[in-house]
Amino acid sequence: MPDWVPSAARVYLAHTEQGTSIRALARAEGCHASTVLRRVRRVEQRRDDPLVDLALRRLGAGGIETKAMGGRDTEPDAAPLSTATEGIGGPNPGAFEREAKRVLRRLAEPGACLAIADGMENAVVVREAADGQTVRTAIVHRPDAEAMALKGWIVVQRDGKITRYVITAKGRAALTRMLDAGNPARSGATSGPSRGTGRVRYGLPESPVLALSRRKGPDGAPFLSETLVSAAERLREDFELAQSAGIAPTVGEMLPVPDGRTLMSPGADMARIRVARALFDLGPGLADVVLRCCCQLEGMETVERRMGWAARSGKIVLRIALQRLRRYFDEVEGKLGPMIG
């Protein structure tokens, strides 16, 4: 049983799959039998969630160890996530931690949800745009989505042929810990719960593209149209997919690329190549601002300072770059991205 599996799920599987009695589990846990029974019932009630049900089935099919069940009534969120996909998605050291951070960061954006349908190998994270259209922002392997649901990081928002999940407060807290672990400078800088609002807010950086899309131009129209935002999200999706495999692209690496533009695979290697060719088409300058703002989430003031541009000129360059990027996607890559599964 992987270390990341919540203790309640461990006890539940030991009882239901191996037939270990409630009293035997209580003795192993060092608690009262009624406590174990409540934990078993709570997990059983969660099996209405399709992803939780599939995760428990996968773990149950892999066998259970009844000894060393773990802590009292807590879940080992602080445990290393490097083996999180063992028993669910196959052993891949570090993969789940990178994948969870990528997906939870997307789900933390306003209006975002994870959607998955029966029979689909992958899920997608989508965000509702101002015009009512949905923009795909990430592809998620089903076993990783199952693990996040079992840990309580995502919860069903709407059930049906396509089930939609949203991030929970527990998922936001886990994301904050991951970001702090990856960037020690963030430690202590994350904002705590806001008082009087009933909601917990966290100091997660917002995409400069989304911030600019809410601004209005002189004619009252959004400064960045939804088509330009969609192009930025498409590039960021590929960038984060490549980054999740530890091959994050940079402008210096990505500009010299070979000929040939037929790209259909959603894998990390092909995602890196798609980013390379998009940046190569934009060329120096435009590629820099797109990579920094859309993918690395640097603010416009930071980009202007690093690029040596005049104040408040960066957003104009960014809009020109996104117009060029959108044309590249339409004419070369096609209006639709790779198949999701």
Side-chain angles (χ1 to χ4, degrees):
M1 181 73 64
D3 291 339
W4 65 266
V5 178
S7 61
R10 293 168 181 264
V11 170
Y12 173 82
L13 290 170
H15 177 63
T16 58
E17 297 294 332
Q18 285 196 331
T20 307
S21 69
I22 295 293
R23 291 189 180 278
L25 290 171
R27 286 194 296 270
E29 290 286 289
C31 61
H32 197 273
S34 61
T35 302
V36 173
L37 182 60
R38 284 196 297 271
R39 294 163 71 180
V40 170
R41 286 177 175 173
R42 280 203 303 269
V43 176
E44 180 64 33
Q45 291 171 353
R46 296 187 62 201
R47 297 203 75 154
D48 290 337
D49 183 328
L51 290 180
V52 171
D53 184 62
L54 286 170
L56 292 171
R57 288 187 185 183
R58 288 181 190 264
L59 290 168
I64 316 296
E65 289 187 8
T66 56
K67 61 181 180 179
M69 284 294 174
R72 293 277 193 268
D73 199 21
T74 60
E75 298 184 1
D77 282 336
L81 297 176
S82 59
T83 59
T85 52
E86 292 183 12
I88 283 194
N92 191 351
F96 181 73
E97 182 176 12
R98 292 191 297 267
E99 187 71 3
K101 182 163 66 173
R102 177 179 74 92
V103 174
L104 291 175
R105 193 166 186 170
R106 282 302 201 170
L107 286 172
E109 296 175 353
C113 68
L114 182 146
I116 190 166
D118 291 339
M120 292 296 292
E121 180 181 351
N122 296 318
V124 293
V125 178
V126 296
R127 179 177 52 79
E128 187 172 351
D131 58 2
Q133 299 295 317
T134 55
V135 179
R136 191 187 77 192
T137 59
I139 299 174
V140 189
H141 294 300
R142 180 185 283 267
D144 293 316
E146 293 173 10
M148 286 187 281
L150 186 60
K151 289 181 72 66
W153 292 350
I154 57 176
V155 67
V156 174
Q157 180 190 49
R158 188 171 65 198
D159 201 357
K161 291 184 178 179
I162 299 179
T163 307
R164 293 175 177 264
Y165 292 78
V166 294
I167 189 171
T168 63
K170 188 174 182 179
R172 291 181 183 273
L175 174 59
T176 301
R177 286 195 299 271
M178 293 177 194
L179 293 175
D180 288 343
N183 182 11
R186 281 178 46 88
S187 300
T190 304
S191 59
S194 57
R195 300 182 180 275
T197 62
R199 298 178 58 189
V200 178
R201 301 188 53 142
Y202 298 87
L204 303 178
E206 183 185 32
S207 167
V209 173
L210 293 181
L212 287 174
S213 69
R214 293 194 295 268
R215 295 187 181 182
K216 303 295 183 181
D219 58 353
F223 182 79
L224 294 179
S225 66
E226 285 299 330
T227 57
L228 299 185
V229 174
S230 177
E233 296 287 12
R234 183 170 171 179
L235 183 71
R236 182 182 168 191
E237 179 186 1
D238 276 335
F239 176 85
E240 291 181 340
L241 187 59
Q243 192 178 44
S244 68
I247 50 175
T250 65
V251 171
E253 293 179 311
M254 304 306 286
L255 290 181
V257 295
D259 293 333
R261 298 177 184 267
T262 303
L263 304 169
M264 295 301 293
S265 170
D269 289 334
M270 297 307 291
R272 185 177 187 274
I273 296 175
R274 286 193 295 270
V275 175
R277 290 173 173 163
L279 296 178
F280 180 73
D281 186 82
L282 291 175
L286 295 183
D288 278 285
V289 69
V290 164
L291 183 64
R292 292 179 184 278
C293 290
C294 302
C295 302
Q296 297 174 343
L297 305 185
E298 291 187 9
M300 291 308 312
E301 293 182 359
T302 302
V303 173
E304 290 167 352
R305 184 171 61 254
R306 291 187 176 182
M307 299 294 291
W309 295 341
R312 293 182 292 278
S313 63
K315 62 181 183 180
I316 305 297
V317 179
L318 176 61
R319 184 167 62 180
I320 295 171
L322 291 178
Q323 291 169 345
R324 176 78 172 266
L325 180 65
R326 183 64 188 182
R327 188 183 68 179
Y328 167 80
F329 281 145
D330 290 346
E331 295 179 357
V332 179
E333 299 282 3
K335 293 186 177 180
L336 299 178
M339 300 293 288
I340 65 170

